[in-house]
Amino acid sequence: MQLKAIDVGFGYQKNSWTFRNLQLAIGKGEIVGLVGPSGAGKTTFGRILAGYEKPLEGMVTLNDSPLPTTGYHPVQLVFQHPEKAVNPKWRMLKILHEGWDPDDELLERLGIEKEWLHRWPNELSGGELQRFCVARALGPKTQFLIADEMTTMLDSITQAQIWQVVLDIAQKRNIGILVISHEAPLIERLCSRIVDISNN
């Protein structure tokens, strides 16, 4: 069971490629790191893997089939900027339940306070919003998680706590993870394999 990128290429301008011929395979339960300089297309590649963008060439498959286009998506993306991933017209409770209904234990482990559930997104800090995005991405049907600079808005102690929760759940449920980060120590600590996008 794998998430695969096969000869994937993308560019925002005609005749100008951000990357081409990208190959990647992530197995269930595997943690892979994605590194490269700013502008190399790491975030765009993550969006393609999660179905938010379509590649200009190549394809992404899940278990050797095209990515699904309806229902709860088995490849979940946690954006670097959580304010762009939530509906500003919804309270946090509705946002959280958009995909599934997390239990109180998970919310507590992620440091989400119950009073936050009734707030609007603009009433929370970036770090608080990011906790909700992590919880929302860990639905029971999630098979792969794309973590794009997932904890950059949190202090180092909270980062470690959030990652421990994610890793515990991933291990129990055999979720594959792609870690996109500029933080070399984080990548080296978490990942069994590292892919450098700067060579494409």
Side-chain angles (χ1 to χ4, degrees), residues 25-101:
I26 307 173
K28 291 295 294 292
E30 187 178 15
I31 303 177
V32 178
L34 184 69
V35 299
S38 296
K42 299 186 300 298
T43 291
T44 300
F45 186 49
R47 289 174 59 86
I48 289 172
L49 289 172
Y52 284 93
E53 295 273 6
K54 290 185 177 181
L56 295 185
E57 59 182 19
M59 64 184 301
V60 176
T61 63
L62 179 66
N63 306 331
D64 296 322
S65 298
L67 291 177
T69 56
T70 59
Y72 186 92
H73 205 290
V75 184
Q76 287 289 306
L77 170 63
V78 181
F79 293 84
Q80 178 180 0
H81 301 289
E83 69 279 1
K84 296 180 180 180
V86 298
N87 189 331
K89 298 180 180 180
W90 289 0
R91 293 186 187 271
M92 296 311 301
L93 182 62
K94 184 175 181 179
I95 290 171
L96 193 60
H97 290 175
E98 184 179 10
W100 71 297
D101 297 330

